[in-house]
Amino acid sequence: MENWQQIGAMSKPLMTKVRAIRGATTADANTIESMREAVAELLTEIETRNQLDYEEIISVIFTVTSDLDATFPAAIARENPQWENVPLLDLQQMQVRGSLEKCIRVLIYFNTDKPQAEIYHPYLRKARNLRPDWNLTHMIMGNK
């Protein structure tokens, strides 16, 4: 028993936590092509900036404004074979008068040992105005 306790004391457990990546973008039009371009750009930015490991993704929630109904963002994500087995969900955003039109948002839950401050949350195109505080922080940190 003492040997087992000593071995356990010598090795530090990996501190993996569940974190979330938040991001948003806008489509130019309510077409499959425009939505595909916007979703692909957003997911590429998230994957690249966060060095996202597909095996660590728990689930992904996409939301779209009611003026986008040409396709499902999850269907676009599944076009990438690495996203094939990731649990994906599409929802319609709450309608709020005066809110940003043609907006696609994403929330990705994943396991990581990175601290929260190192997670990059991209807000692209017209969605930059949704979280100007995060865009400013990323610019200061050199993560344009």
Side-chain angles (χ1 to χ4, degrees), residues 33-140:
E33 296 78 23
S34 182
M35 290 179 68
R36 179 178 287 121
E37 181 183 307
V39 170
E41 178 185 37
L42 180 61
L43 293 180
T44 298
E45 183 80 2
I46 288 170
E47 293 167 23
T48 304
R49 297 291 187 107
N50 291 294
Q51 293 108 31
L52 196 59
D53 179 352
Y54 302 99
E55 293 295 319
E56 297 300 324
I57 299 174
I58 297 167
S59 64
V60 180
I61 299 171
F62 291 97
T63 66
V64 295
T65 49
S66 62
D67 52 1
L68 291 177
D69 61 4
T71 191
F72 296 103
I76 295 167
R78 282 193 191 97
E79 290 174 359
N80 180 339
Q82 294 177 305
W83 286 83
E84 215 169 65
N85 295 313
V86 174
L88 306 171
L89 178 65
D90 291 300
L91 300 169
Q92 189 174 72
Q93 287 175 198
M94 192 175 114
Q95 292 182 339
V96 176
R97 195 174 342 173
S99 63
L100 184 61
E101 296 178 352
K102 295 181 182 65
C103 186
I104 302 164
R105 290 178 169 94
V106 67
L107 181 61
I108 301 175
Y109 294 98
F110 69 114
N111 292 308
T112 186
D113 57 355
K114 290 182 182 180
Q116 186 68 42
E118 290 182 19
I119 307 300
Y120 178 75
H121 307 274
Y123 283 76
L124 309 177
R125 301 179 181 199
K126 293 178 183 175
R128 285 183 170 270
N129 297 329
L130 295 174
R131 288 302 303 259
D133 54 326
W134 277 355
N135 284 320
L136 180 61
T137 300
H138 294 316
M139 287 171 145
I140 291 169

